[in-house]
Every structure is written in C-alpha cells, then in structure tokens.
Amino acid sequence: GQKYSDSAYKAGRSDAMKDVKDNRLVIEVSGLPAPWSGEYAKLLAEKYHIQLKTVAGCIVDSRIVGHERGYNEISVAEIERRFGHGFLAKTAEDVQKKWQQAHKN
C-alpha cells in the first residue's frame, strides 16, 4: 500500500473522534471520483446526514493518505455501528446500479 504519515494518521483519528462526538458523520475521499459519486454523495447527505468530503483529487501525498486513513477508520466504524455493517458498500452499489440503468443507451 501507499506510505502514509503517522502523525497525519493520528491527527485524522482524533479529528474524527471530535466530529463523531459532535454528531458529525464525515467520510474523507480522495482520488478520481466515479461518475456516480455525485449521486452517492447526495443520497448520503440528504437521507443519512453523512458528508463525503473530498480532501484531494488525483494528487495525494502521505499526509493526505494518512489523515484520510485515520479519519475514516473512526468515522466509518461509527457509521456502520449506526446503519449496519456493509452499509456504505451496499449504498454505493445501489447508486451505481441505478446510475448504470439511467445511462444505458
């Protein structure tokens, strides 16, 4: 896997703990978005009050990767605790299927 910064990882974890305590559910994302990412983000935000926060495009460094990894370990665990195991993967899959149906031509 990609090298990541240990201090950024720890910072990510503590940032996520703060957010979860304030009842803010956020997932950090980086890299190129899928074509259905917009729909996915919208569904998460409107239906579940979960924010997808893009922290970087295709250029990521060890600090971004570290923070994202630490942050999401905490926030994703909390999201799955509230909404069920595999909730995010299943939601993403549903959105992707719908998107593909809508863009069949």
Side-chain angles (χ1 to χ4, degrees):
Q2 191 168 2
K3 291 289 293 161
Y4 62 90
S5 151
D6 206 44
S7 61
Y9 170 79
K10 291 193 181 96
R13 285 180 68 92
S14 79
D15 288 349
M17 284 175 197
K18 268 197 227 74
D19 282 349
V20 164
K21 215 173 78 206
D22 295 340
N23 211 19
R24 266 202 306 275
L25 298 175
V26 181
I27 303 164
E28 292 193 348
V29 288
S30 58
L32 288 173
W36 58 85
S37 292
E39 312 280 315
Y40 179 54
K42 202 171 144 204
L43 176 72
L44 287 180
E46 288 172 2
K47 200 167 169 190
Y48 303 104
H49 306 291
I50 297 168
Q51 185 199 348
L52 278 193
K53 179 169 143 198
T54 305
V55 289
C58 42
I59 311 293
V60 294
D61 62 27
S62 66
R63 297 200 61 74
I64 291 165
V65 172
H67 191 279
E68 183 183 321
R69 178 174 295 198
Y71 190 96
N72 289 347
E73 268 177 22
I74 300 289
S75 69
V76 169
E78 177 62 20
I79 287 164
E80 296 213 323
R81 193 179 71 74
R82 292 190 195 189
F83 298 106
H85 184 67
F87 163 79
L88 292 168
K90 186 175 171 349
T91 305
E93 208 175 294
D94 291 348
V95 170
Q96 184 179 350
K97 279 198 193 106
K98 270 198 200 95
W99 189 89
Q100 284 165 340
Q101 288 298 317
H103 293 80
K104 263 198 189 130
N105 43 17

XYZ file of all heavy atoms in Angstrom:
831
model
N 0.820 -1.210 0.000
C 0.000 0.000 0.000
C 0.850 1.256 0.000
O 2.082 1.188 0.056
N 0.191 2.366 -0.067
C 0.895 3.638 -0.118
C 1.409 4.018 1.277
O 0.778 3.761 2.276
C -0.066 4.712 -0.624
C 0.642 6.010 -0.951
C -0.267 6.943 -1.727
O -1.413 6.624 -1.985
N 0.251 8.084 -2.094
N 2.576 4.591 1.309
C 3.134 5.075 2.577
C 2.278 6.223 3.079
O 1.788 7.023 2.298
C 4.558 5.599 2.366
C 5.578 4.538 2.036
C 5.897 3.642 3.232
C 6.630 4.397 4.343
N 6.540 3.676 5.638
N 2.108 6.265 4.371
C 1.398 7.416 4.901
C 2.077 7.940 6.153
O 2.834 7.233 6.805
C -0.078 7.103 5.157
C -0.333 6.023 6.175
C -0.472 6.340 7.528
C -0.461 4.700 5.787
C -0.714 5.343 8.461
C -0.709 3.707 6.720
C -0.831 4.035 8.063
O -1.081 3.061 8.984
N 1.782 9.179 6.429
C 2.378 9.859 7.565
C 1.686 9.437 8.853
O 0.468 9.501 8.972
C 2.252 11.365 7.350
O 2.189 12.025 8.589
N 2.492 8.997 9.809
C 1.969 8.531 11.081
C 1.298 9.650 11.870
O 0.250 9.461 12.472
C 3.116 7.925 11.889
C 2.611 6.896 12.869
O 1.758 6.082 12.465
O 3.058 6.919 14.030
N 1.906 10.818 11.849
C 1.315 11.929 12.611
C -0.006 12.371 11.985
O -0.964 12.698 12.682
C 2.291 13.106 12.698
O 2.601 13.587 11.410
N -0.077 12.327 10.644
C -1.329 12.679 9.960
C -2.404 11.645 10.267
O -3.576 11.976 10.452
C -1.102 12.779 8.451
N -1.994 10.380 10.348
C -2.918 9.292 10.681
C -3.514 9.537 12.076
O -4.727 9.461 12.271
C -2.162 7.963 10.625
C -2.916 6.772 11.160
C -3.891 6.134 10.384
C -2.653 6.273 12.429
C -4.582 5.029 10.867
C -3.336 5.168 12.926
C -4.302 4.556 12.148
O -4.979 3.464 12.627
N -2.649 9.871 13.054
C -3.132 10.131 14.415
C -4.030 11.351 14.464
O -5.051 11.366 15.150
C -1.948 10.308 15.367
C -1.179 9.012 15.579
C -0.215 9.138 16.757
C 0.580 7.858 16.967
N 1.904 7.915 16.310
N -3.662 12.378 13.714
C -4.486 13.588 13.642
C -5.844 13.266 13.044
O -6.878 13.751 13.514
C -3.783 14.664 12.812
N -5.848 12.432 12.019
C -7.098 12.021 11.374
C -8.014 11.327 12.366
O -9.205 11.619 12.441
N -7.443 10.434 13.146
C -8.244 9.714 14.139
C -8.822 10.678 15.177
O -9.992 10.584 15.521
C -7.407 8.641 14.840
C -7.161 7.423 13.963
C -6.321 6.375 14.670
N -7.043 5.773 15.792
C -7.772 4.666 15.702
N -7.920 4.053 14.546
N -8.374 4.163 16.768
N -8.021 11.607 15.643
C -8.552 12.492 16.684
C -9.560 13.493 16.103
O -10.543 13.819 16.750
C -7.421 13.161 17.478
O -6.883 14.235 16.774
N -9.351 13.929 14.861
C -10.349 14.794 14.199
C -11.682 14.063 14.068
O -12.753 14.629 14.302
C -9.874 15.208 12.796
C -8.732 16.224 12.854
O -8.462 16.763 13.959
O -8.107 16.462 11.804
N -11.624 12.792 13.688
C -12.842 12.007 13.503
C -13.561 11.803 14.837
O -14.785 11.874 14.898
C -12.514 10.660 12.860
N -12.791 11.565 15.892
C -13.411 11.379 17.207
C -14.162 12.633 17.633
O -15.256 12.562 18.184
C -12.358 11.008 18.252
C -11.902 9.568 18.136
S -10.545 9.235 19.312
C -9.881 7.718 18.636
N -13.561 13.781 17.366
C -14.226 15.064 17.671
C -15.526 15.183 16.880
O -16.566 15.540 17.428
C -13.314 16.236 17.291
C -12.429 16.739 18.408
C -11.903 18.122 18.030
C -10.425 18.325 18.225
N -9.453 17.740 17.326
N -15.448 14.904 15.593
C -16.630 15.042 14.737
C -17.743 14.097 15.169
O -18.906 14.483 15.248
C -16.266 14.806 13.268
C -15.592 16.031 12.647
O -15.611 17.109 13.281
O -15.049 15.908 11.532
N -17.389 12.848 15.449
C -18.382 11.859 15.866
C -19.041 12.316 17.171
O -20.252 12.219 17.336
C -17.732 10.452 16.018
C -18.634 9.517 16.811
C -17.438 9.861 14.635
N -18.232 12.855 18.072
C -18.771 13.332 19.341
C -19.756 14.491 19.117
O -20.753 14.611 19.812
C -17.625 13.775 20.266
C -17.920 13.481 21.721
C -16.713 13.770 22.616
C -16.599 15.261 22.851
N -15.253 15.719 23.150
N -19.455 15.314 18.108
C -20.357 16.427 17.752
C -21.474 15.965 16.828
O -22.180 16.783 16.240
C -19.574 17.551 17.058
C -18.565 18.196 17.980
O -18.721 18.059 19.213
O -17.623 18.833 17.474
N -21.600 14.669 16.666
C -22.621 14.077 15.814
C -22.481 14.476 14.348
O -23.462 14.626 13.633
C -24.021 14.439 16.339
C -25.007 13.333 16.015
O -24.611 12.202 15.738
N -26.269 13.657 16.016
N -21.247 14.674 13.920
C -20.982 14.947 12.502
C -20.383 13.690 11.897
O -19.346 13.223 12.351
C -19.966 16.087 12.357
C -20.598 17.438 12.200
C -19.634 18.411 11.532
N -18.363 18.482 12.242
C -18.137 19.278 13.294
N -19.084 20.062 13.751
N -16.954 19.297 13.879
N -21.047 13.146 10.881
C -20.538 11.966 10.202
C -19.960 12.374 8.855
O -20.664 12.879 7.992
C -21.655 10.934 10.011
C -22.283 10.386 11.307
C -23.447 9.468 10.990
C -21.248 9.660 12.152
N -18.668 12.176 8.707
C -17.963 12.602 7.505
C -17.074 11.462 7.026
O -16.501 10.736 7.833
C -17.080 13.849 7.797
C -16.345 14.323 6.543
C -17.911 14.993 8.380
N -16.990 11.304 5.709
C -16.038 10.351 5.134
C -15.111 11.151 4.229
O -15.560 11.911 3.376
C -16.739 9.267 4.298
C -17.777 8.532 5.150
C -15.713 8.278 3.734
C -18.744 7.732 4.308
N -13.815 11.001 4.446
C -12.851 11.690 3.587
C -12.585 10.835 2.350
O -12.371 9.634 2.461
C -11.548 11.933 4.350
C -11.696 12.944 5.470
C -10.355 13.426 6.017
O -9.314 12.828 5.689
O -10.368 14.422 6.772
N -12.619 11.482 1.199
C -12.342 10.767 -0.047
C -11.297 11.500 -0.861
O -11.223 12.730 -0.845
C -13.627 10.556 -0.912
C -14.533 9.514 -0.290
C -14.369 11.857 -1.120
N -10.494 10.735 -1.582
C -9.521 11.343 -2.477
C -9.446 10.483 -3.723
O -10.011 9.397 -3.779
C -8.154 11.433 -1.804
O -7.723 10.152 -1.423
N -8.750 10.970 -4.712
C -8.637 10.223 -5.960
C -9.730 10.655 -6.920
O -10.528 11.533 -6.607
N -9.730 10.047 -8.085
C -10.706 10.431 -9.104
C -12.083 9.910 -8.727
O -12.233 8.734 -8.416
C -10.289 9.864 -10.457
C -9.078 10.528 -11.093
C -8.657 9.787 -12.345
C -9.368 11.985 -11.422
N -13.093 10.771 -8.758
C -14.440 10.319 -8.414
C -15.031 9.448 -9.523
O -14.727 9.635 -10.689
C -15.228 11.618 -8.271
C -14.495 12.620 -9.086
C -13.049 12.201 -9.092
N -15.860 8.498 -9.116
C -16.596 7.689 -10.092
C -17.690 8.571 -10.695
O -18.082 9.568 -10.090
C -17.215 6.488 -9.392
N -18.210 8.203 -11.876
C -19.239 9.042 -12.497
C -20.502 9.184 -11.652
O -21.236 10.148 -11.795
C -19.539 8.339 -13.824
C -18.803 7.052 -13.816
C -17.792 7.086 -12.725
N -20.743 8.218 -10.764
C -21.941 8.294 -9.928
C -21.665 8.872 -8.537
O -22.540 8.893 -7.687
C -22.592 6.921 -9.800
C -21.656 5.907 -9.234
C -21.411 5.664 -7.910
C -20.810 5.027 -9.960
N -20.455 4.683 -7.777
C -20.073 4.275 -9.021
C -20.603 4.801 -11.330
C -19.141 3.311 -9.408
C -19.682 3.845 -11.694
C -18.961 3.114 -10.750
N -20.448 9.349 -8.303
C -20.089 9.880 -6.983
C -21.013 10.990 -6.510
O -21.335 11.076 -5.330
C -18.660 10.408 -6.988
O -17.767 9.340 -7.123
N -21.420 11.835 -7.435
C -22.310 12.940 -7.097
C -23.624 12.458 -6.515
O -24.090 12.960 -5.496
N -24.205 11.450 -7.168
C -25.473 10.878 -6.703
C -25.293 10.238 -5.317
O -26.147 10.347 -4.450
C -25.938 9.760 -7.649
C -25.900 10.108 -9.113
C -27.099 10.931 -9.533
O -28.209 10.566 -9.118
O -26.905 11.925 -10.240
N -24.173 9.553 -5.168
C -23.861 8.859 -3.915
C -23.731 9.877 -2.777
O -24.336 9.723 -1.715
C -22.556 8.073 -4.123
C -22.042 7.312 -2.927
C -22.833 6.392 -2.248
C -20.726 7.472 -2.504
C -22.339 5.659 -1.170
C -20.220 6.751 -1.436
C -21.024 5.851 -0.765
O -20.524 5.142 0.295
N -22.970 10.931 -3.033
C -22.774 11.977 -2.023
C -24.102 12.610 -1.632
O -24.372 12.871 -0.460
C -21.814 13.042 -2.552
N -24.943 12.849 -2.655
C -26.234 13.495 -2.418
C -27.142 12.619 -1.565
O -27.763 13.081 -0.608
C -26.882 13.773 -3.779
C -27.907 14.845 -3.747
C -28.346 15.212 -5.157
C -29.817 15.521 -5.072
N -30.567 15.392 -6.259
N -27.197 11.325 -1.905
C -28.016 10.383 -1.147
C -27.544 10.304 0.310
O -28.343 10.399 1.237
C -27.956 8.997 -1.787
C -28.693 7.890 -1.021
C -30.208 8.055 -1.137
C -28.280 6.515 -1.503
N -26.242 10.165 0.502
C -25.704 10.076 1.866
C -26.038 11.328 2.662
O -26.429 11.254 3.822
C -24.190 9.858 1.845
C -23.694 8.474 1.433
C -22.173 8.442 1.476
C -24.261 7.373 2.321
N -25.889 12.474 2.012
C -26.134 13.740 2.702
C -27.609 13.910 3.051
O -27.956 14.227 4.186
C -25.652 14.907 1.845
N -28.478 13.692 2.052
C -29.893 14.003 2.252
C -30.594 12.974 3.125
O -31.398 13.311 3.978
C -30.592 14.111 0.898
C -30.182 15.390 0.178
C -30.698 15.450 -1.254
O -31.414 14.519 -1.703
O -30.381 16.447 -1.931
N -30.270 11.703 2.920
C -31.005 10.659 3.620
C -30.378 10.295 4.964
O -31.073 9.966 5.912
C -31.090 9.433 2.718
C -32.194 8.481 3.109
C -32.435 7.450 2.007
C -33.354 6.352 2.523
N -33.425 5.236 1.574
N -29.053 10.362 5.040
C -28.378 9.859 6.245
C -27.545 10.920 6.971
O -26.943 10.642 7.995
C -27.474 8.676 5.883
C -28.219 7.557 5.213
C -28.125 7.346 3.837
C -29.045 6.703 5.950
C -28.818 6.315 3.216
C -29.744 5.674 5.330
C -29.631 5.486 3.969
O -30.316 4.472 3.357
N -27.483 12.110 6.417
C -26.679 13.199 7.009
C -25.216 12.809 7.167
O -24.587 13.092 8.186
C -27.281 13.655 8.348
C -28.734 14.018 8.218
N -29.154 15.122 7.519
C -29.846 13.388 8.651
C -30.480 15.168 7.526
N -30.923 14.122 8.203
N -24.714 12.134 6.154
C -23.296 11.779 6.113
C -22.656 12.616 5.009
O -23.149 12.659 3.889
C -23.096 10.282 5.802
C -23.717 9.424 6.919
C -21.610 9.951 5.619
C -23.822 7.941 6.568
N -21.569 13.294 5.343
C -20.920 14.156 4.361
C -19.725 13.451 3.736
O -18.865 12.917 4.441
C -20.450 15.442 5.052
C -19.880 16.454 4.078
C -19.007 17.493 4.766
O -18.994 17.607 5.996
N -18.256 18.249 3.975
N -19.677 13.421 2.404
C -18.484 12.956 1.708
C -17.626 14.181 1.465
O -18.042 15.110 0.799
C -18.832 12.339 0.348
C -19.302 10.900 0.259
C -19.275 10.446 -1.198
C -18.464 9.964 1.098
N -16.447 14.169 2.024
C -15.588 15.347 1.913
C -14.380 15.003 1.056
O -13.562 14.164 1.426
C -15.150 15.757 3.315
C -14.245 16.956 3.354
C -14.109 17.404 4.798
C -12.706 17.877 5.083
N -12.426 17.900 6.514
N -14.293 15.633 -0.107
C -13.156 15.384 -0.985
C -11.947 16.129 -0.452
O -11.965 17.360 -0.349
C -13.473 15.841 -2.421
O -14.673 15.180 -2.839
C -12.351 15.475 -3.378
N -10.923 15.385 -0.072
C -9.734 16.009 0.502
C -8.625 16.167 -0.527
O -7.684 16.911 -0.308
C -9.221 15.236 1.742
C -10.170 15.435 2.910
C -9.032 13.760 1.470
N -8.738 15.466 -1.642
C -7.731 15.606 -2.694
C -8.240 14.988 -3.976
O -9.055 14.078 -3.951
C -6.436 14.908 -2.285
N -7.733 15.496 -5.086
C -8.046 14.898 -6.375
C -7.099 13.740 -6.609
O -6.859 12.945 -5.711
N -6.498 13.689 -7.781
C -5.642 12.534 -8.071
C -4.240 12.698 -7.493
O -3.453 11.769 -7.493
C -5.607 12.253 -9.562
S -5.487 13.711 -10.562
N -3.902 13.900 -7.011
C -2.598 14.076 -6.382
C -2.758 13.933 -4.877
O -3.371 14.787 -4.233
C -2.010 15.488 -6.667
C -2.073 15.830 -8.153
C -0.590 15.598 -6.126
C -1.195 14.990 -9.051
N -2.233 12.844 -4.323
C -2.301 12.683 -2.877
C -0.888 12.520 -2.334
O -0.023 11.979 -3.011
C -3.163 11.475 -2.449
C -4.614 11.675 -2.813
C -2.633 10.191 -3.046
N -0.660 13.020 -1.133
C 0.642 12.806 -0.512
C 0.454 11.996 0.763
O -0.664 11.648 1.128
C 1.349 14.140 -0.256
C 0.578 15.039 0.705
O -0.174 14.524 1.554
O 0.729 16.263 0.611
N 1.537 11.704 1.430
C 1.471 10.810 2.591
C 0.653 11.410 3.734
O 0.060 10.693 4.521
C 2.877 10.475 3.069
O 3.510 11.635 3.556
N 0.592 12.749 3.802
C -0.206 13.385 4.852
C -1.693 13.215 4.570
O -2.465 12.886 5.464
C 0.122 14.878 4.995
C 1.552 15.153 5.420
C 1.716 16.543 6.013
N 0.892 16.700 7.218
C 1.161 16.145 8.397
N 2.220 15.378 8.546
N 0.367 16.342 9.421
N -2.080 13.436 3.326
C -3.489 13.290 2.946
C -3.927 11.842 3.152
O -4.961 11.570 3.755
C -3.708 13.719 1.475
C -3.521 15.237 1.343
C -5.103 13.320 0.990
C -3.346 15.728 -0.078
N -3.108 10.909 2.673
C -3.423 9.486 2.799
C -3.511 9.091 4.277
O -4.437 8.390 4.692
C -2.360 8.617 2.071
C -2.564 7.134 2.365
C -2.414 8.869 0.568
N -2.579 9.565 5.064
C -2.555 9.236 6.487
C -3.771 9.770 7.218
O -4.425 9.056 7.979
N -4.089 11.032 6.970
C -5.230 11.651 7.645
C -6.520 10.939 7.248
O -7.355 10.614 8.084
C -5.313 13.146 7.312
C -6.289 13.887 8.169
N -7.644 13.885 7.924
C -6.105 14.651 9.284
C -8.251 14.619 8.860
N -7.342 15.095 9.695
N -6.664 10.695 5.950
C -7.869 10.029 5.440
C -8.027 8.646 6.062
O -9.111 8.257 6.493
C -7.780 9.919 3.916
C -8.999 9.303 3.271
C -8.842 9.156 1.757
O -8.269 10.058 1.110
O -9.291 8.129 1.232
N -6.928 7.899 6.132
C -6.990 6.550 6.683
C -7.385 6.575 8.160
O -8.272 5.848 8.585
C -5.647 5.857 6.505
C -5.637 4.470 7.111
C -4.355 3.754 6.789
N -4.248 3.513 5.358
C -3.416 2.614 4.833
N -2.638 1.907 5.617
N -3.368 2.435 3.535
N -6.726 7.425 8.929
C -7.029 7.520 10.356
C -8.446 8.017 10.589
O -9.185 7.479 11.418
N -8.820 9.039 9.826
C -10.142 9.639 9.969
C -11.233 8.618 9.682
O -12.154 8.420 10.471
C -10.281 10.846 9.032
C -11.520 11.635 9.324
C -11.472 12.762 10.148
C -12.758 11.238 8.822
C -12.621 13.458 10.462
C -13.913 11.925 9.136
C -13.840 13.042 9.948
O -14.986 13.727 10.268
N -11.113 7.956 8.544
C -12.169 7.042 8.112
C -12.262 5.788 8.969
O -13.340 5.212 9.096
C -11.983 6.678 6.631
C -12.289 7.863 5.721
O -12.857 8.856 6.148
N -11.901 7.759 4.469
N -11.149 5.371 9.577
C -11.224 4.214 10.473
C -12.238 4.476 11.579
O -13.019 3.608 11.947
C -9.859 3.935 11.107
C -9.050 2.934 10.302
C -7.668 2.712 10.877
O -7.448 2.975 12.081
O -6.802 2.282 10.103
N -12.208 5.679 12.094
C -13.122 6.054 13.177
C -14.523 6.324 12.635
O -15.506 5.784 13.120
C -12.615 7.319 13.916
C -11.230 7.086 14.516
C -13.625 7.776 14.969
C -11.173 6.157 15.686
N -14.616 7.164 11.613
C -15.946 7.583 11.153
C -16.709 6.442 10.483
O -17.900 6.276 10.707
C -15.859 8.800 10.225
O -15.256 8.465 9.007
N -16.033 5.625 9.704
C -16.717 4.517 9.039
C -17.195 3.495 10.075
O -18.310 2.964 9.967
C -15.826 3.865 7.948
C -16.424 2.562 7.444
C -15.626 4.843 6.788
N -16.381 3.248 11.107
C -16.804 2.339 12.171
C -18.075 2.856 12.844
O -19.010 2.096 13.124
C -15.692 2.175 13.207
N -18.137 4.153 13.072
C -19.315 4.762 13.701
C -20.528 4.684 12.773
O -21.636 4.366 13.195
C -19.014 6.223 14.067
C -20.177 6.986 14.652
C -20.714 6.412 15.976
O -19.980 5.663 16.656
O -21.861 6.731 16.314
N -20.317 4.948 11.489
C -21.408 4.879 10.509
C -21.961 3.449 10.442
O -23.168 3.241 10.439
C -20.916 5.363 9.123
C -20.731 6.891 9.157
C -21.895 4.963 8.013
C -19.893 7.454 8.021
N -21.068 2.467 10.437
C -21.531 1.071 10.367
C -22.203 0.651 11.674
O -23.115 -0.163 11.671
C -20.373 0.142 10.000
C -19.844 0.459 8.608
C -19.321 -0.754 7.861
O -18.719 -1.650 8.485
O -19.518 -0.805 6.630
N -21.754 1.226 12.776
C -22.396 0.940 14.055
C -23.842 1.446 14.024
O -24.754 0.796 14.515
C -21.619 1.640 15.171
C -21.992 1.185 16.572
C -21.160 1.914 17.624
N -21.527 3.323 17.756
C -22.648 3.750 18.362
N -23.516 2.910 18.870
N -22.896 5.055 18.443
N -24.041 2.615 13.409
C -25.384 3.202 13.366
C -26.272 2.602 12.293
O -27.459 2.408 12.494
C -25.295 4.716 13.105
C -24.685 5.464 14.253
C -24.843 6.949 14.043
N -23.972 7.686 14.935
C -24.034 9.009 15.088
N -24.916 9.716 14.398
N -23.221 9.618 15.913
N -25.709 2.347 11.125
C -26.535 1.967 9.973
C -26.380 0.512 9.560
O -27.057 0.049 8.654
C -26.222 2.872 8.778
C -26.526 4.322 9.023
C -25.500 5.237 9.225
C -27.841 4.771 9.067
C -25.776 6.577 9.451
C -28.128 6.112 9.290
C -27.089 7.010 9.493
N -25.460 -0.185 10.192
C -25.291 -1.601 9.877
C -24.009 -1.884 9.113
O -23.523 -1.041 8.360
N -23.476 -3.073 9.320
C -22.230 -3.479 8.680
C -22.407 -3.529 7.166
O -23.411 -4.019 6.669
C -21.820 -4.856 9.213
C -20.498 -5.290 8.674
N -19.320 -4.643 8.991
C -20.176 -6.276 7.805
C -18.324 -5.221 8.349
N -18.817 -6.225 7.620
N -21.443 -2.989 6.444
C -21.500 -3.019 4.984
C -22.442 -1.986 4.383
O -22.696 -1.968 3.185
N -22.957 -1.092 5.243
C -23.917 -0.080 4.806
C -23.389 0.778 3.648
O -24.077 0.987 2.653
C -24.285 0.822 6.000
C -24.939 2.115 5.613
C -26.274 2.159 5.271
C -24.193 3.292 5.582
C -26.876 3.346 4.891
C -24.789 4.492 5.203
C -26.124 4.517 4.864
N -22.159 1.257 3.763
C -21.619 2.155 2.732
C -21.421 1.432 1.407
O -21.770 1.959 0.348
C -20.309 2.784 3.203
C -20.466 3.775 4.355
C -19.112 4.129 4.948
C -21.197 5.041 3.902
N -20.884 0.221 1.482
C -20.663 -0.552 0.257
C -21.983 -0.844 -0.439
O -22.107 -0.717 -1.657
C -19.941 -1.855 0.590
N -22.992 -1.203 0.351
C -24.285 -1.528 -0.226
C -24.923 -0.289 -0.848
O -25.481 -0.341 -1.941
C -25.203 -2.116 0.846
C -26.507 -2.595 0.227
C -27.417 -3.297 1.205
C -28.787 -3.567 0.587
N -29.051 -2.888 -0.711
N -24.826 0.839 -0.150
C -25.385 2.086 -0.666
C -24.692 2.481 -1.966
O -25.338 2.849 -2.946
C -25.243 3.211 0.380
O -25.852 2.774 1.599
C -25.929 4.488 -0.074
N -23.377 2.368 -1.993
C -22.610 2.702 -3.203
C -23.032 1.806 -4.361
O -23.202 2.264 -5.495
C -21.114 2.559 -2.931
N -23.216 0.529 -4.067
C -23.615 -0.430 -5.088
C -24.992 -0.096 -5.664
O -25.198 -0.145 -6.871
C -23.648 -1.810 -4.441
C -23.392 -2.953 -5.386
C -23.328 -4.267 -4.610
O -22.378 -4.435 -3.808
O -24.251 -5.089 -4.777
N -25.922 0.239 -4.773
C -27.278 0.612 -5.218
C -27.233 1.828 -6.128
O -27.883 1.862 -7.174
C -28.177 0.929 -4.013
C -28.490 -0.323 -3.187
O -28.200 -1.445 -3.665
O -29.018 -0.168 -2.070
N -26.459 2.835 -5.711
C -26.364 4.062 -6.505
C -25.744 3.754 -7.866
O -26.210 4.219 -8.904
C -25.522 5.134 -5.765
C -25.212 6.308 -6.675
C -26.267 5.619 -4.525
N -24.701 2.947 -7.862
C -24.021 2.586 -9.101
C -24.972 1.868 -10.055
O -25.024 2.177 -11.249
C -22.823 1.696 -8.766
C -21.987 1.326 -9.977
C -20.787 0.473 -9.600
O -20.477 0.310 -8.418
N -20.117 -0.066 -10.596
N -25.759 0.923 -9.527
C -26.727 0.191 -10.357
C -27.743 1.143 -10.962
O -28.052 1.059 -12.147
C -27.453 -0.866 -9.520
C -26.659 -2.140 -9.348
C -27.575 -3.286 -8.912
C -26.765 -4.477 -8.440
N -26.793 -4.648 -6.972
N -28.298 2.029 -10.123
C -29.281 2.999 -10.611
C -28.684 3.875 -11.692
O -29.317 4.166 -12.699
C -29.760 3.899 -9.457
C -30.958 3.339 -8.743
C -31.647 4.446 -7.919
C -32.526 3.831 -6.846
N -31.851 3.726 -5.540
N -27.457 4.323 -11.453
C -26.778 5.199 -12.408
C -26.612 4.490 -13.734
O -26.859 5.044 -14.805
C -25.426 5.631 -11.843
C -24.768 6.699 -12.674
C -24.932 8.042 -12.530
C -23.857 6.510 -13.753
N -24.177 8.703 -13.483
C -23.512 7.788 -14.235
C -23.305 5.387 -14.366
C -22.633 7.973 -15.288
C -22.422 5.567 -15.435
C -22.098 6.856 -15.888
N -26.180 3.228 -13.674
C -25.966 2.457 -14.905
C -27.273 2.232 -15.665
O -27.305 2.316 -16.883
C -25.266 1.139 -14.590
C -23.789 1.356 -14.318
C -23.101 0.168 -13.651
O -23.761 -0.680 -13.050
N -21.792 0.119 -13.747
N -28.354 1.981 -14.913
C -29.678 1.848 -15.543
C -30.046 3.132 -16.284
O -30.492 3.101 -17.422
C -30.755 1.561 -14.478
C -30.708 0.185 -13.871
C -30.949 -0.918 -14.917
O -31.822 -0.796 -15.757
N -30.153 -1.970 -14.863
N -29.837 4.258 -15.612
C -30.230 5.548 -16.163
C -29.381 5.932 -17.379
O -29.805 6.703 -18.226
C -30.129 6.629 -15.105
N -28.165 5.405 -17.465
C -27.255 5.797 -18.553
C -27.069 4.717 -19.592
O -26.128 4.755 -20.375
C -25.919 6.262 -17.980
C -26.038 7.536 -17.196
N -26.498 7.567 -15.901
C -25.791 8.819 -17.538
C -26.525 8.816 -15.474
N -26.110 9.598 -16.439
N -27.957 3.733 -19.588
C -27.960 2.742 -20.672
C -28.560 3.433 -21.896
O -29.639 3.986 -21.819
C -28.884 1.591 -20.296
C -28.168 0.418 -19.695
C -29.075 -0.810 -19.778
C -28.482 -1.944 -18.980
N -29.455 -2.533 -18.057
N -27.827 3.402 -22.999
C -28.467 3.979 -24.180
C -28.134 3.203 -25.446
O -27.120 2.609 -25.584
C -28.136 5.466 -24.359
C -26.673 5.778 -24.101
O -25.819 4.875 -24.088
N -26.347 7.035 -23.898
